[in-house]
């Protein structure tokens, strides 16, 4: 699953000297239930001259959905009388509308919009850099954090997964303890080399942490473009709910010209494979890449990847090609 356009000139943060490479990578929406369908009210006429908001609300009681929103309507009239009057004035225009039009239905729809639980901020967080990746992609620009604070960790996980499952992107809900381990190791070892299975062999990608963002670009990009090499995948990690809910939310943007969703997912899975492992030999590869680059062996990454089984689904075409 992916969410993002081309990577363009979006570069990531400086990368340490590794395997003879120079500096590289320079640093860098609503889950809403369906709206209520309000049937046209029968026999409804606009209020007569001198009708006030009280009589207007009385007329609203004829709407079959009035009871559901009665407390919301009264609360609006109490807290925002100007808004209430404005909406009532719109309702009063019903007599000017074609037969079958219900201003009361329109009013109720307005109230339903106000009452509806909107967890995600559609249209926010869309300020992009030249490459099509979102600048300053904060959790607040995606999720109504205050609203979900009332939810349990499991409920938030379901909301997050349901929302992003309908989008073409990589996403995850990471347990706090696992992210703690990943984050602690990322501070000591901010870069690593990942292997992505291709039809013929493997393509290598360098992953570089910049704060809680993890930027990926292909090794050949770094070798040919150096520090101007553009990011092709960015994983965004959000620890805002880590202490209170015990989870860290993650989503991503990618350059669809170079990666498809299952390939980006394979790279994201490898982050946990190498940074969250309990196997010392596996994490030692990360330490070697960062601190003893002359000892690092590319084939060790491939061996670890094949042993884990990650990326196996990226090779089905090899079988069909040989048949």
């Amino acid at each position: 699953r992916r969410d993002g356009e081309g990577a363009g000139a979006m570069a990531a943060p400086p990368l340490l000297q590794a395997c003879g490479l120079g500096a590289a990578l320079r640093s860098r929406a609503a889950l809403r239930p369906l709206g209520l369908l309000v049937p046209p009210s029968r026999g409804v006429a606009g209020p007569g001259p001198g009708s006030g908001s009280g009589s207007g609300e009385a007329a609203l009681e004829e709407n079959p959905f009035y009871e559901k929103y009665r407390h919301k309507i009264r609360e609006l009239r109490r807290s925002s009388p100007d808004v209430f009057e404005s909406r009532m004035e719109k309702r009063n225009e019903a007599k000017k509308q074609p037969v079958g039009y219900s201003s009361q239905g329109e009013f109720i729809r307005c109230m339903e919009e106000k009452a509806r639980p909107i967890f995600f901020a559609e249209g926010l967080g869309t300020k992009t850099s030249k490459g099509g990746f979102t600048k300053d992609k904060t959790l607040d620009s995606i999720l109504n954090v205050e609203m979900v604070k009332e939810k349990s960790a499991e409920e938030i996980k379901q909301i997050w997964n349901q929302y992003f499952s309908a989008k073409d992107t990589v996403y995850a809900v990471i347990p706090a303890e696992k992210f703690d381990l990943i984050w602690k190791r990322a501070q000591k070892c901010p870069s690593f080399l990942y292997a992505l299975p291709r039809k013929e062999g493997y393509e290598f990608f360098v992953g570089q942490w910049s704060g809680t963002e993890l930027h990926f670009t292909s090794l050949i990009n770094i070798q040919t473009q150096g520090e101007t090499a553009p990011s092709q995948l960015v994983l965004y990690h959000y620890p805002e709910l880590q202490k209170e809910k015990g989870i860290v939310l993650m989503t991503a943007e990618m350059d669809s010209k170079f990666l498809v969703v299952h390939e980006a997912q394979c790279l994201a899975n490898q982050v946990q494979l190498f940074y969250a492992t309990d196997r010392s030999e596996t994490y030692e590869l990360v330490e070697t890449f960062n601190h003893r680059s002359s000892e690092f062996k590319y084939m060790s990454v491939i061996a670890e990847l094949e042993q884990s089984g990650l990326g196996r689904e990226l090779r089905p075409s090899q079988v069909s090609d040989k048949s």
Side-chain angles (χ1 to χ4, degrees), residues 46-157:
S51 295
S53 61
S55 61
E57 184 178 344
L60 285 174
E61 295 179 12
E62 298 177 26
N63 190 285
F65 296 103
Y66 173 79
E67 282 300 316
K68 181 175 181 180
Y69 296 100
R70 178 174 57 183
H71 67 289
K72 293 288 185 183
I73 293 170
R74 291 182 176 176
E75 174 60 24
L76 178 65
R77 185 175 63 181
R78 184 192 66 77
S79 61
S80 305
D82 292 342
V83 175
F84 180 84
E85 289 297 337
S86 173
R87 293 183 181 179
M88 290 305 299
E89 287 175 9
K90 290 182 179 179
R91 186 192 70 82
N92 294 343
E93 296 175 1
K95 57 187 178 182
K96 302 176 184 178
Q97 301 296 335
V99 175
Y101 177 87
S102 170
S103 62
Q104 288 162 312
E106 204 62 40
F107 184 89
I108 294 294
R109 273 193 289 273
C110 287
M111 295 309 303
E112 192 269 342
E113 287 289 338
K114 186 177 179 69
R116 146 191 309 172
I118 299 177
F119 298 112
F120 288 86
E122 198 71 60
L124 295 182
T126 54
K127 183 179 180 182
T128 59
S129 65
K130 288 183 179 179
F133 287 100
T134 305
K135 290 182 64 177
D136 304 321
K137 193 179 180 71
T138 63
L139 183 59
D140 280 329
S141 71
I142 305 172
L143 184 70
N144 188 328
V145 178
E146 287 305 312
M147 181 175 285
V148 300
K149 280 184 177 178
E150 303 301 319
K151 303 291 183 181
S152 68
E154 184 57 33
E155 287 173 323
I156 296 172
K157 179 179 179 180

Side-chain angles (χ1 to χ4, degrees), residues 224-236:
T224 57
Q225 300 182 53
E227 62 181 16
T228 64
S231 294
Q232 295 167 311
L233 169 68
V234 183
L235 303 184
Y236 301 96

Side-chain angles (χ1 to χ4, degrees), residues 15-22 191 219 289-290 293 298:
L15 179 67
L16 53 79
Q17 295 284 342
C19 305
L21 299 178
S191 308
L219 181 58
F289 182 82
N290 282 266
S293 59
Y298 289 32

Side-chain angles (χ1 to χ4, degrees), residues 24-38:
L25 304 176
R26 183 171 52 82
S27 85
R28 335 232 215 244
L31 240 201
R32 55 177 67 174
L34 291 177
L36 182 65
L37 295 179
V38 183

